[in-house]
Amino acid sequence: MTDDELEHELRRAAAVFDAPAPAAVQAAIDAFALRALDDELAALTFDSLSHPVRVRGPGRPRLLTFQGGGVVVELEISVGEPGEPGGTAGRIVGQLLPPQPARIEIRGGSPATLTADRFGRFGGDHAIAGAFSLRCHLATSMIATEWITL
């Protein structure tokens, strides 16, 4: 069965059933809002913008360090010229300390997912659009950074 055929069958099945009760919809919305309740918030402990630099050229990367839940998240964010619609071309490079594999979810303006290797390193090109936060899915916990605005 192709994706289009499956979609057609699912739409046909959905048309047979009644719409969910408003209370059920609100319960689902409330449950979704609580999905990040167990995240440990990693607080910003260093931001290169808050430290004076004698020579600051265009395109200088921003360095950020977050700490929480026994994990340090170090980030280097480089922003280039305006790129894709809705964002600016950029690059996010980071490391988790202590080193460990993880799935890094970029939340906010332009969502994406990165993967940290066994040394805790992750990175990739990314459209930077508005405020964003990282949620690190570790083996035994989840931590989320504060929201970052460039």
Side-chain angles (χ1 to χ4, degrees), residues 101-131:
R103 183 171 57 87
I104 313 296
E105 178 186 351
I106 301 173
R107 306 179 302 162
S110 183
T113 302
L114 303 171
T115 302
D117 64 16
R118 65 187 178 108
F119 300 109
R121 303 173 301 196
F122 59 92
D125 294 324
H126 184 69
I128 308 294

Side-chain angles (χ1 to χ4, degrees), residues 49-111:
L49 286 184
S50 63
H51 293 76
V53 176
R54 292 180 189 243
V55 179
R56 185 182 299 267
R60 184 174 178 87
R62 182 170 176 189
L63 306 174
L64 300 159
T65 303
F66 296 90
Q67 187 169 5
V71 177
V72 174
V73 181
E74 294 182 337
L75 296 175
E76 178 180 300
I77 303 171
S78 303
V79 179
E81 297 300 316
E84 309 182 8
T88 301
R91 180 152 184 79
I92 296 175
V93 177
Q95 182 167 14
L96 301 173
L97 299 170
Q100 57 192 294
R103 183 171 57 87
I104 313 296
E105 178 186 351
I106 301 173
R107 306 179 302 162
S110 183

